[in-house]
Amino acid sequence: MSKETKQFVIFGNPVAHSKSPQMHNSGFEKLNYNGIYKKHLLEDGSTIKNTFLKNSYSGANITVPHKEHAYSNADEVRGLAKKIHAVNTYINENGRVIAYNTDAPGFLKAIESFGDIKKVLLLGAGGTAKAIALALQESNIDVTVLNRSEGKLDFFKNEGIKSYSWDNFQEEEYDLIVNSTSAGLKDNNLPCNKELLESVLKSAKYAFDCVYGKLTAFLALAKENGLEIKDGEDMLLYQGVLAFEYFTKTKADDTLVKAMRKGLKSE
Ligand SMILES: NC(=O)c1ccc[n+]([C@@H]2O[C@H](COP(=O)([O-])OP(=O)(O)OC[C@H]3O[C@@H](n4cnc5c(N)ncnc54)[C@H](OP(=O)(O)O)[C@@H]3O)[C@@H](O)[C@H]2O)c1
């Protein structure tokens, strides 16, 4: 590694499972960019800005559980991240830490392949749901949040987003149903009870699961009901591609996206 090699990392805890290094390093290679991307296990999220600067990192991605800390520590937050209150990308701009959220536009890019979507039911109310709900709202797509419990719904209500818990759900008809809960990640659970889910799936056209790399119980049920389905791989890819564009100040073309996807899928 030469002195000019720019260093990038993903901060997380745990971080061992992350595919981001393969994805970004494939992009650097394709572009002949003098950069290297590694994993950085960070235990104390409140130290994120100092750790970033102390190591002279040029850029970073941030994953669970540090996205909120990363937001509040940044020198400047740009774009929709200001409303989401969580960021997944840091850039070093002359010693100032600039933060973005690329999960939100990454999700929008991932659902483009479905075609016209006017109305969405979003299952879950965690960090990912916040990014997705605000991204949809900004695109003038009608979004309703449905969560297991009431506690996390205030954020959405304050943004003028219809939101319900399982107990008080008022069902309508939706084009797309999105699972942004962690049901399906390490288990085979559905994100809500089967009866309710089948009822909304019957009138919908598309189903998207943020979990990637497997056919979750949610996607299997959607498929059974004749919906077009998609897992979270493209969301992961495009949040990475958008971060890569900030890192390298280059617009990613199709061949670069293809190289990053190949990296993502490699061992
Ligand atoms: N593809 C990608 O690029 C990408 C990016 C980000 C995240 N993700 C995935 O998105 C999912 C959510 O991540 P997050 O960061 O938003 O998590 P989070 O902040 O921990 O939120 C989890 C949400 O899931 C709900 N939940 C958990 N277990 C459930 C169950 N068994 N049944 C129903 N609801 C349940 C929780 O409901 P309560 O409020 O009731 O606890 C909460 O609303 C994870 O699977 C993550 O891997 C994917």
Side-chain angles (χ1 to χ4, degrees), residues 64 67 103 124-129 147-150 152 166 179-183 185 187 189-192 208-212 232-233 235-237 239:
V64 176
K67 291 185 186 182
D103 287 328
T128 309
N147 195 42
R148 176 172 64 180
S149 59
E150 192 69 34
K152 296 194 181 91
W166 293 356
N179 176 29
S180 82
T181 76
S182 28
L185 185 62
D187 53 44
N189 292 336
L190 286 170
C192 61
F208 182 91
D209 203 321
C210 294
V211 173
Y212 61 90
E233 181 185 302
M235 181 178 173
L236 182 68
L237 173 70
Q239 65 74 31

Side-chain angles (χ1 to χ4, degrees), residues 147-166:
N147 195 42
R148 176 172 64 180
S149 59
E150 192 69 34
K152 296 194 181 91
L153 297 182
D154 281 351
F155 172 89
F156 300 92
K157 289 183 180 148
N158 290 338
E159 294 296 336
I161 293 168
K162 278 174 280 181
S163 47
Y164 303 101
S165 65
W166 293 356

Side-chain angles (χ1 to χ4, degrees), residues 29-79:
E29 202 177 308
K30 187 81 199 167
L31 210 64
N32 262 324
Y33 185 88
N34 192 4
I36 184 147
Y37 190 113
K38 296 178 180 165
K39 296 170 188 172
H40 188 128
L41 174 69
L42 184 73
E43 277 167 8
D44 180 1
S46 67
T47 65
I48 194 162
K49 179 183 158 188
N50 286 344
T51 308
F52 179 78
L53 292 174
K54 203 176 68 203
N55 285 285
S56 305
Y57 293 145
S58 299
N61 287 121
I62 300 107
T63 188
V64 176
H66 299 316
K67 291 185 186 182
E68 279 87 11
H69 266 128
Y71 164 84
S72 48
N73 277 265
D75 290 317
E76 186 183 334
V77 178
R78 291 190 186 151

Side-chain angles (χ1 to χ4, degrees), residues 6-138:
K6 292 198 163 122
Q7 291 197 70
F8 300 85
V9 286
I10 176 151
F11 287 117
N13 184 17
V15 76
H17 65 284
S18 174
K19 295 270 186 190
S20 289
Q22 288 101 305
M23 177 167 57
H24 284 274
N25 285 325
S26 297
F28 291 150
E29 202 177 308
K30 187 81 199 167
L31 210 64
N32 262 324
Y33 185 88
N34 192 4
I36 184 147
Y37 190 113
K38 296 178 180 165
K39 296 170 188 172
H40 188 128
L41 174 69
L42 184 73
E43 277 167 8
D44 180 1
S46 67
T47 65
I48 194 162
K49 179 183 158 188
N50 286 344
T51 308
F52 179 78
L53 292 174
K54 203 176 68 203
N55 285 285
S56 305
Y57 293 145
S58 299
N61 287 121
I62 300 107
T63 188
V64 176
H66 299 316
K67 291 185 186 182
E68 279 87 11
H69 266 128
Y71 164 84
S72 48
N73 277 265
D75 290 317
E76 186 183 334
V77 178
R78 291 190 186 151
L80 197 58
K82 283 193 263 193
K83 275 175 125 186
I84 300 169
H85 289 198
V87 301
N88 72 327
T89 304
Y90 265 6
I91 307 292
N92 187 333
E93 242 181 49
N94 308 315
R96 292 186 77 236
V97 178
I98 312 297
Y100 298 90
N101 185 306
T102 69
D103 287 328
F107 169 81
L108 290 180
K109 184 85 188 135
I111 61 164
E112 264 178 21
S113 61
F114 281 147
D116 193 31
I117 289 166
K118 293 195 172 64
K119 215 163 161 174
V120 176
L121 179 66
L122 176 59
L123 306 172
T128 309
K130 287 180 184 172
I132 292 177
L134 291 178
L136 289 169
Q137 189 190 46
E138 252 222 343

